[in-house]
Amino acid sequence: MKSFNSRRGQAIVVAIAAGSLALTGCSENKGSSSDKDSKKDQKEAAVQSKAVTYGDAKASTGPAAEVPGAKAGGTIQVYQEAGLSHLDPGQIYVSDAGQVANLLFRGLTNFQEDGKGNVSVVGDLATDSGTSSDGGKTWKFTLKDGVKDENGKAITSADIRHTVERQYAEFIFDGPTYLQTWLSGPKYRKALPDGGFGKKHLPDDVLETPDDKTVIFHFKAPQPDLPQTLAMPGYTVVPEATDTKAKYDKAPVSSGPYKIAEYKVGKTLKLVKNENWDPKTDSVRNQYVDGWNFDFGVTESTQTSRLIADQGAAKNAIQLTGAVESTKIQDVIKTPEVNKRTIKGYQPYVMTLNFNLDRVKNKKVRDAVTYAVNSKSLIAGEGGAYGGDVAPNLFAPTLPGYEPKYDPYGRLKTPSGNIAKAKELLKGVPAAEKKLVFAYRSSELEQKRKVALEDALSKVGITVVAKEVDAASFTEQIGKLDNPYDMYITGWGQDWPSPGTVVTPIYDGDQVADGSPNYSHVNDPKVQELIKKALGQEPTEAAKTWKEAHHYILEKINPAAPLWYSKQFQLYGSNIGGARYSTESSYIDVTRLFLKS
């Protein structure tokens, strides 16, 4: 998944940040945690690699469990730096919009967690997490009674069909593609070019809706992970009657506990209670507060200062996907009254420096950059050990199959960069190939990253031409195949605990297209062969194949230099109740928050 500091902790972690702060003031955090602490963090992160369980009808029946001490009423203030990339469910594949989606939208299934690291999939609009047959090739879902959209219209199987089919339309370009490719293959758009808006629909032997309450998926191969896939925000329901196609991104219709009252793109978003949401049908979400006010354009340093001060509206405020600004981490840690208002945890994201393989064709240059980058300096900008750990490879500690000692570029031994090795690789490389265009987000955090990258690469004779890109449209810009950039910092986290949700979305040649998270444009026959092999194997054998694919990608292609594993360190106001870290999203759990007074 994408991240915004980092597809929902489950899709791309596209790193962000804005402003003009340099790296000064960050060194105070470098010695704040030891290697022993990092190993402990990684051990705790392994909890997120546990298999997700599938819940039955009882687990899927609402209302959601009451949060101890919860009270009704009031409005939560939300601080966020970048505007939302999308609000059309079909376009949602990054963590900020994913957080908002859990307040607004419902899908056939959703993730439910217990606060102890255990995550299950339960029925959301469906009565349970699904029933499979035919060896996992056929999946049946039955819709609950009483599920409606914000207009009071019953959600039926026709709406689910429409939600699936519109994913085939050309205007949907930024969301997940698992379901579409499983149903219709890698060239799925050809199966339904108009996205079901015309007279043609997917045939019954692919998607069947025999009555208003029943949805049946037919796949050519077993799809045991379907319930987890359908729990992604990108597959939440879009009611057919109110779909405005490309315009839907600005005014989507709610099916969750809250609905949009006002949306000024990039500035503010106001949510109020959705009166047509029935808590008896929802086992995941609560609806304690009356509304949510989102302010965009609030830098992380401003967010942090306000929340530390804890005055006025800040008492009722949270950070959505932002984090404590790195230079203020020690102030938070050393002040018990503030430190107790924090959310901490390992994220599933691996932050990488992606190379555009269409432009940076010389592997010696890619390898030299990988050796030269200074992970230690970059992590200092994130808050030191509270912000992340050096990444030696492309698999996170939260992922099954993670190899902590797999380090082909010596990142663990030389976290500040191996300058000598990089210079050796660049001998004889033409000057033109040592001039690289770097795209970065217009944010405080990414400004720090830019400075760290420029400093590291200048030491080996590489000239960085930095190009600032609007933070809200960053993924769209770098997602264009014909983009004018050589490299960009992105990140990716598992969509669920499987290496397939990392390797397939970002390194599969079939995914090379505008809007795809294959930002490096990897299209390698060997990788294709290994992906196909792994997807047809049982988990134990597949794990070996995913490992082989991981090693081949990093060593033989090197499409992205591993930089650091991301950690979360968020702050919230003193009047916020029910706050906890979400294992599933890797941010504050927005489904259970309330105001204490």
Side-chain angles (χ1 to χ4, degrees), residues 220-534:
K220 294 178 181 178
Q223 300 299 344
D225 291 340
L226 181 66
Q228 298 180 78
T229 308
L230 294 174
M232 298 171 66
Y235 293 117
T236 49
V237 69
V238 175
E240 183 176 19
T242 48
D243 192 348
T244 54
K245 298 185 178 181
K247 295 179 182 178
Y248 197 75
D249 219 356
K250 303 297 184 282
V253 172
S254 168
S255 52
Y258 296 91
K259 62 182 180 180
I260 297 173
E262 179 182 278
Y263 184 31
K264 296 180 180 178
V265 178
K267 296 181 179 179
T268 58
L269 171 67
K270 296 183 184 299
L271 307 183
V272 296
K273 283 187 175 182
N274 173 13
E275 304 88 347
N276 285 301
W277 170 80
D278 185 351
K280 293 193 294 293
T281 69
D282 196 328
S283 66
V284 177
R285 307 166 188 82
N286 293 288
Q287 192 194 48
Y288 293 124
V289 297
D290 296 329
W292 301 70
N293 288 345
F294 294 75
D295 279 345
F296 303 107
V298 184
T299 64
E300 286 196 345
S301 57
T302 299
Q303 294 175 31
T304 305
S305 295
R306 290 179 183 176
L307 289 166
I308 289 175
D310 196 43
Q311 298 296 311
K315 291 183 178 182
N316 300 336
I318 65 168
Q319 293 183 296
L320 185 66
T321 58
V324 174
E325 202 275 324
S326 61
T327 62
K328 295 183 173 68
I329 284 180
Q330 287 303 310
D331 294 337
V332 172
I333 294 295
K334 294 175 180 178
T335 310
E337 288 302 307
V338 179
N339 191 32
K340 71 180 183 181
R341 297 189 279 110
T342 57
I343 296 290
K344 307 181 185 77
Y346 226 112
Q347 295 188 305
Y349 305 120
V350 183
M351 305 306 297
T352 63
L353 180 63
N354 276 67
F355 302 110
N356 182 339
L357 298 184
D358 294 330
R359 292 170 61 95
V360 190
K361 298 181 179 181
N362 189 338
K363 186 173 182 289
K364 285 186 177 181
V365 173
R366 303 197 298 272
D367 288 352
V369 171
T370 303
Y371 279 109
V373 287
N374 188 334
S375 288
K376 193 172 183 180
S377 179
L378 285 162
I379 292 170
E382 307 296 309
Y386 292 100
D389 290 333
V390 176
N393 59 63
L394 301 171
F395 279 10
T398 59
L399 191 70
Y402 168 63
E403 301 173 83
K405 295 181 180 179
Y406 174 52
D407 187 15
Y409 294 94
R411 306 298 303 142
L412 297 175
K413 293 180 180 178
T414 55
S416 296
N418 188 334
I419 304 303
K421 181 66 175 179
K423 286 183 175 180
E424 179 186 333
L425 285 166
L426 292 172
K427 285 180 180 178
V429 173
E433 294 184 29
K434 293 188 286 186
K435 185 176 182 179
L436 301 175
V437 180
F438 171 63
Y440 70 99
R441 294 176 181 276
S442 55
S443 68
E444 281 184 341
L445 184 57
E446 195 101 332
Q447 178 71 23
K448 296 178 185 179
R449 295 170 180 172
K450 175 186 80 77
V451 172
L453 188 67
E454 288 173 329
D455 179 65
L457 298 190
S458 66
K459 293 176 180 177
V460 299
I462 291 177
T463 301
V464 176
V465 180
K467 299 289 185 181
E468 184 175 278
V469 179
D470 173 65
S473 65
F474 182 79
T475 56
E476 182 178 343
Q477 298 305 315
I478 67 169
K480 294 177 180 177
L481 286 181
D482 190 24
N483 75 63
Y485 313 118
D486 295 314
M487 54 187 184
Y488 15 78
I489 291 178
T490 71
W492 193 266
Q494 68 223 36
D495 285 315
W496 54 85
S498 167
T501 67
V502 173
V503 177
T504 303
I506 53 178
Y507 302 120
D508 185 349
D510 288 335
Q511 304 288 337
V512 176
D514 283 340
S516 164
N518 186 338
Y519 295 120
S520 293
H521 313 154
V522 176
N523 191 359
D524 185 280
K526 178 70 172 179
V527 177
Q528 300 299 95
E529 176 190 326
L530 291 170
I531 288 174
K532 184 177 180 180
K533 180 181 177 182

Side-chain angles (χ1 to χ4, degrees), residues 165-220:
E165 292 183 339
R166 74 191 297 273
Q167 297 270 11
Y168 289 63
E170 290 292 339
F171 70 86
I172 299 293
F173 58 87
D174 225 6
T177 61
Y178 294 108
L179 182 59
Q180 306 93 292
T181 55
W182 291 347
L183 289 171
S184 304
K187 308 298 181 184
Y188 64 88
R189 292 194 195 275
K190 292 183 179 180
L192 199 65
D194 66 358
F197 287 94
K199 294 182 179 180
K200 186 179 179 182
H201 296 280
L202 293 174
D204 282 352
D205 61 358
V206 174
L207 176 60
E208 192 178 354
T209 50
D211 55 52
D212 284 350
K213 287 291 186 70
T214 307
V215 180
I216 305 173
F217 296 97
H218 298 282
F219 302 101
K220 294 178 181 178

